[in-house]
Amino acid sequence: MTDISHSFTLKAIRLPGIGLWKQANWIVRIATLVGLALVVLSVAAPLVAPFDPNDQSLISRLRPPLGFDRYKDGFFLGTDELGRDILSRCTFGLRLTFALALAGACISLLIGGTLGLVAGLAGGHLDDLIMGLVDAQIAIPMTLIALLTLSVFGSSIDIMILVLGIYGWEQFARIIRAEVKKLRQMPFVEAAQAAGAPPLRIAFVHVLPNVVSPIVVQFTLNFSNIVIWESTLSFLGLGVQPPTATLGSMVGTGRDYLPTAPWIVLAPALTILLLTFAVQILGDWLRDHADVRLRSR
């Protein structure tokens, strides 16, 4: 009996993940493997990077990657204009870019999701007030907000997280509000209200599970957009300041050497492309499996 129970428990734990993997097409599987590789690479950056990302060696500056003339042993992806190892800087840059994008997307979800849920459930003047804030956020270019914030408070990592966190929260608010307003007319929500269920129970038990799908999709879109937005700010010199490496700052500093040393730009740009590709594909796939309405068909 013990063996049977143990076997049943293992099957109950393992089979869902195996089933999802078997249902996924080859593009999703590639995106999953790419995403896992990037996550592992970012987490294990201190162990994987062959050199300190900030170590300079002017004698070794602008060395090409492995397989080209003037390649220097150990610098597999070449070196930049200051002789720093591109592979090490990409690894640590990926780590910081990933952390900034994840923190920013979570803050955006928290702000926009909370306001959208409150607006959709409350209605009335509170709904009008929240949507007025959303319209104001849309009307003001995010570039101006970022420039003002970074010029006043500086370009520290904490300030960058704050700037990235207020990017895209209005999209969460609008989408979740629209979904909640639609769900309020559904029979199961009306039945819960008629049965005397408190507002918090209605929100977290009956409404939120049915808005997981648009939240997942918007989160992945926002994550990818924040990666590009952080790269843009760093490219313009407004992001995390040197010598700390992010993928965007590496592209920004390497653009002047693009004709003679393209590997300085290609390595971080390809990393950005792979990261956004994996997140977008996985987000779309998770949307299909998280939507309770699709599963019920």
Side-chain angles (χ1 to χ4, degrees):
M1 179 63 71
T2 303
D3 295 337
I4 295 176
S5 301
H6 181 65
S7 176
F8 177 77
T9 303
L10 290 178
K11 288 181 179 180
I13 294 174
R14 292 177 181 173
L15 285 180
I18 297 175
L20 288 177
W21 178 258
K22 290 181 177 179
Q23 294 173 16
N25 57 40
W26 64 273
I27 297 180
V28 174
R29 294 184 181 184
I30 291 176
T32 302
L33 295 177
V34 170
L36 289 176
L38 292 176
V39 170
V40 171
L41 187 62
S42 62
V43 172
L47 301 176
V48 175
F51 301 97
D52 187 292
N54 297 324
D55 280 351
Q56 301 180 13
S57 176
L58 296 180
I59 299 178
S60 304
R61 66 189 300 268
L62 299 178
R63 292 297 184 96
L66 178 66
F68 291 85
D69 293 336
R70 297 184 60 250
Y71 163 74
K72 185 172 182 179
D73 291 339
F75 297 94
F76 301 105
L77 295 183
T79 60
D80 63 6
E81 72 281 3
L82 296 177
R84 296 172 297 191
D85 181 48
I86 296 294
L87 176 59
S88 300
R89 290 184 64 77
C90 271
T91 305
F92 278 88
L94 171 65
R95 187 185 198 187
L96 184 54
T97 298
F98 191 93
L100 290 173
L102 184 61
C106 289
I107 294 174
S108 297
L109 172 60
L110 180 62
I111 296 174
T114 302
L115 292 177
L117 185 63
V118 171
L121 290 175
H125 295 297
L126 185 56
D127 183 17
D128 295 336
L129 175 61
I130 292 175
M131 295 313 296
L133 293 175
V134 170
D135 293 337
Q137 171 70 13
I138 295 175
I140 303 174
M142 187 60 198
T143 305
L144 295 180
I145 298 177
L147 288 173
L148 178 62
T149 305
L150 294 174
S151 62
V152 172
F153 299 102
S155 301
S156 66
I157 293 180
D158 294 337
I159 299 301
M160 278 296 299
I161 292 176
L162 175 63
V163 170
L164 298 175
I166 60 178
Y167 178 85
W169 69 265
E170 71 279 1
Q171 299 298 328
F172 281 108
R174 295 182 69 180
I175 292 173
I176 294 176
R177 171 185 175 271
E179 291 292 324
V180 170
K181 279 189 169 294
K182 183 167 60 177
L183 289 170
R184 285 180 59 187
Q185 311 301 322
M186 301 297 288
F188 64 91
V189 175
E190 294 179 347
Q193 292 173 337
L200 287 179
R201 178 176 177 81
I202 294 175
F204 289 101
V205 176
H206 300 285
V207 174
L208 278 182
N210 290 279
V211 297
V212 169
S213 174
I215 288 177
V216 169
V217 174
Q218 184 58 36
F219 185 87
T220 55
L221 287 173
N222 199 50
F223 182 92
S224 302
N225 289 335
I226 288 178
V227 170
I228 298 174
W229 177 240
E230 183 278 326
S231 301
T232 302
L233 291 177
S234 298
F235 181 85
L236 297 174
L238 301 173
V240 179
Q241 296 302 302
T244 304
T246 64
L247 298 178
S249 64
M250 292 180 65
V251 174
T253 56
R255 69 184 184 273
D256 295 332
Y257 300 88
L258 191 58
T260 56
W263 58 86
I264 300 178
V265 173
L266 291 179
L270 181 60
T271 306
I272 294 174
L273 177 63
L274 291 176
L275 180 59
T276 54
F277 162 78
V279 172
Q280 293 280 16
I281 296 297
L282 289 176
D284 188 53
W285 179 64
L286 288 175
R287 182 272 312 271
D288 296 335
H289 292 276
D291 195 332
V292 296
R293 292 168 292 185
L294 293 177
R295 293 202 308 265
S296 62
R297 294 176 182 175

